[in-house]
Amino acid sequence: MVTTDDRAQRLLESAQKFRAPFTLDPSLALYSPQDNVDALKHPRISAWMRFIGQDYVPKLPEAREHVLLLLPCTRTKPYILSTEHRRINAALLAAGFVPTAPAEPRLLAFRTSEEPEALFSLAPLTNPLGVVVHRAVISEPLGLVPYEHMLDWPGGTSPAVLYDDPGLFEERGNAVSPWRADCTAERVSATRWKWGPAEKRAYVEMHNAMAQAVATALTRFGGLYARRISWVAPGLTHRSFVVAKAERAAHGIVATRQVGRERLALTGANDLLAPELALTALPTRRQCAEALARLATRLGRSQAEAAGHFGRGGGDATPLALPELLEDLLAAVLPPQNSAKAA
């Protein structure tokens, strides 16, 4: 259960998500859409935005093809230690990818005896087919976090290992800051709240700021990649940060948000990017449905019975980490003529 009305207690809960020596910066504990909007002016965040938007250029090894793979942020910090990222990266290694630099020493302390050191490298991955996968994370309040800057960046310790943010998810009922003077959320139970107009308006502002941050970065260097894949669960707000207005219906994502008497538009990065630089948002709803069917077969259960397992990703994760969906990821990452062999 998450504390929602006592910031001091919630900070203690947030601190538990970090793996030492990485620790929470309390000024980057962002529990509501309003907190997120304010964070855009935080010195660490604004400096990061300038770096990613104006200065950062990926250092990629020569390859036949470069692929950008955007992964979702996670409650665990650093992200790479989360169950989700571990499974996704393990699938890439099992498919023949190897890191282009050694594992990060600070991360090896978290390695289990069954895990290869390569799982803890933050460098781009390459395979014998000449494909290089450059991993990054899509996140609020940071927009885009290249894997190689997950722990450090030219400004010092990366803000990616300093913040906590439950995400812009109203349905979870805990993305609120009741202690704020501008809080308009209404309590609906002991631990759940319903957003009011201030939260909804701030949500739209922050949502569109994140789409802009991703688009600004990819407008500069997105042309380095043959493919740009956003591997984010369909139900997450991060998918909404990516898809264009014309794509939203196919992804089951709303295009506007009602705030009082106004209907405010939600902008995705693909609305702002040139068509040749657009991100492909995966898995599709069809892929999810087919993966659920395969999962049910593997478990020997009905699809209705397997749905809970699917939703939890088989444990402390999301469906993105299930073998059935990772098959689709590998098919998207590899050149079309070789994806069937890898599967």
Side-chain angles (χ1 to χ4, degrees):
M1 184 176 71
V2 176
T3 300
T4 55
D5 53 6
D6 183 337
R7 189 172 192 274
Q9 178 59 33
R10 192 157 189 184
L11 285 172
L12 294 176
E13 295 168 4
S14 292
Q16 295 174 5
K17 302 176 185 179
F18 290 74
R19 303 292 184 265
F22 310 103
T23 59
L24 172 69
D25 176 349
S27 70
L28 290 177
L30 313 173
Y31 298 127
S32 63
Q34 298 97 311
D35 285 351
N36 272 263
V37 170
D38 288 350
L40 296 174
K41 297 179 181 178
H42 189 289
R44 287 187 187 272
I45 304 303
S46 59
W48 175 269
M49 289 293 189
R50 287 194 299 273
F51 169 64
I52 295 296
Q54 301 175 19
D55 303 323
Y56 168 74
V57 177
K59 296 180 180 179
L60 304 174
E62 291 188 10
R64 172 183 161 191
E65 287 188 333
H66 296 100
V67 177
L68 175 65
L69 177 58
L70 282 185
L71 301 175
C73 63
T74 62
R75 70 187 301 274
T76 299
K77 306 294 188 304
Y79 312 122
I80 194 173
L81 300 180
S82 67
T83 300
E84 190 161 76
H85 281 237
R86 273 176 143 118
R87 291 182 184 173
I88 292 170
N89 289 326
L92 290 167
L93 296 181
F97 283 92
V98 295
T100 55
E104 164 56 53
R106 288 169 290 178
L107 297 174
L108 287 177
F110 304 97
R111 176 187 173 218
T112 68
S113 59
E114 296 81 19
E115 293 176 319
E117 287 194 11
L119 193 62
F120 300 92
S121 174
L122 298 174
L125 306 174
T126 186
N127 79 348
L129 300 174
V131 177
V132 165
V133 172
H134 179 218
R135 296 164 292 173
V137 176
I138 188 166
S139 159
E140 67 274 15
L142 302 175
L144 194 69
V145 181
Y147 242 51
E148 66 270 27
H149 290 307
M150 189 184 299
L151 307 185
D152 305 292
W153 71 299
T157 300
S158 172
V161 288
L162 295 172
Y163 82 97
D164 185 41
D165 191 331
L168 302 174
F169 304 114
E170 179 180 11
E171 66 277 6
R172 293 181 182 174
N174 61 19
V176 292
S177 301
W179 48 82
R180 291 182 61 111
D182 62 354
C183 176
T184 58
E186 299 179 6
R187 186 191 291 274
V188 295
S189 74
T191 59
R192 294 182 59 81
W193 298 71
K194 180 180 179 180
W195 282 356
E199 285 76 22
K200 293 176 181 179
R201 187 175 297 277
Y203 167 85
V204 174
E205 183 176 350
M206 189 65 183
H207 176 288
N208 293 349
M210 294 298 93
Q212 181 67 67
V214 172
T216 296
L218 294 187
T219 294
R220 289 195 305 106
F221 58 77
L224 296 174
Y225 308 103
R227 292 183 295 287
R228 292 155 297 277
I229 300 166
S230 173
W231 185 248
V232 180
L236 296 185
T237 301
H238 303 100
R239 175 76 61 110
S240 187
F241 292 167
V242 169
V243 296
K245 181 178 180 180
E247 301 175 279
R248 289 179 178 269
H251 290 275
I253 297 175
V254 299
T256 62
R257 189 70 192 254
Q258 190 73 35
V259 181
R261 295 183 178 180
E262 295 181 89
R263 185 164 287 280
L264 304 180
L266 297 172
T267 301
N270 283 351
D271 286 309
L272 307 172
L273 288 165
E276 64 272 16
L277 298 178
L279 288 153
T280 299
L282 298 175
T284 64
R285 298 168 82 182
R286 178 176 178 178
Q287 286 173 331
C288 288
E290 293 174 348
L292 174 58
R294 295 197 299 273
L295 174 65
T297 299
R298 174 162 68 89
L299 298 178
R301 301 177 184 175
S302 69
Q303 291 191 37
E305 292 170 332
H309 188 94
F310 182 84
R312 296 187 300 274
D316 183 23
T318 73
L320 298 175
L322 285 169
E324 287 77 10
L325 274 179
L326 290 171
E327 294 174 11
D328 294 309
L329 174 60
L330 294 175
V333 165
L334 293 169
Q337 63 269 33
N338 296 110
S339 59
K341 294 181 182 179

